[in-house]
Amino acid sequence: PTLTRSIQGGPWRAEKDGESSAEIAQQDAPTGPVRFTFRLAGGDRAGRYAALGIGVGTALTERTHVAFRAHASRPMRVSVQARHPHSGARWQRSVYLDADPRDVIVQFAEMTPVGSSGTFDPALADTVLFVVDTTNTLPGTAGSFTLENLRVER
């Protein structure tokens, strides 16, 4: 049987570069859907990002994947990332979102390192991020996505 742990409750936080913008709105806090609205700064591609983050403590330990339901204001790719609290090392898997709500599952075994090397160990990550950056999005782009029913499972 699937073992599920909800991690929707937050608190949610926005992370961004110094020139981009990011806003969070949550319906029916703390467990309702969360809407993330962003605008990447124009100009140079380097370092442009906006991210929706949530601290998850040890919730990823002994789990195999993160799952959620999501849709976006326009077709886009979002990088689902897990971050190590001390080193800042991150692992990611890109997902496609559009206007149609869909259930998404990101297997930890399919996550790849961001800017480093190594195998992802869920027990070492304490933050889950949903990142829009210039890997898949042009500078100056604005948009939003909505997440709900965020959970970890095995």
Side-chain angles (χ1 to χ4, degrees):
T2 300
L3 296 175
T4 300
R5 177 183 295 165
S6 174
I7 54 175
Q8 179 76 23
W12 294 96
R13 67 177 176 274
E15 299 182 14
K16 62 183 186 61
D17 67 82
E19 297 178 36
S20 295
S21 65
E23 295 180 11
I24 300 167
Q26 187 170 23
Q27 301 171 6
D28 304 319
T31 58
V34 61
R35 181 180 174 98
F36 183 68
T37 304
F38 67 90
R39 178 178 295 281
L40 296 183
D44 187 18
R45 292 179 75 95
R48 303 289 186 228
Y49 74 95
L52 173 65
I54 186 170
V56 296
T58 60
L60 305 186
T61 302
E62 298 182 6
R63 299 299 193 255
T64 59
H65 59 275
V66 63
F68 54 92
R69 185 161 181 79
H71 66 277
S73 59
R74 61 175 197 78
M76 67 173 65
R77 293 201 74 78
V78 174
S79 176
V80 179
Q81 300 184 6
R83 183 170 60 201
H84 186 280
H86 302 294
S87 69
R90 293 173 291 135
W91 292 265
Q92 70 88 33
R93 175 100 170 37
S94 174
V95 299
Y96 173 80
L97 300 177
D98 60 22
D100 296 325
R102 73 183 73 231
D103 292 314
V104 178
I105 294 175
V106 176
Q107 297 287 341
F108 295 150
E110 296 175 356
M111 295 181 89
T112 58
V114 177
S116 64
S117 62
T119 303
F120 176 55
D121 181 352
L124 298 179
D126 76 340
T127 303
V128 174
L129 300 161
F130 299 86
V131 181
V132 178
D133 62 19
T134 54
T135 300
N136 296 302
T137 307
L138 292 173
T141 299
S144 67
F145 59 85
T146 300
L147 296 173
E148 60 184 312
N149 195 23
L150 178 62
R151 61 205 185 274
V152 288
E153 298 176 335
R154 68 171 172 178

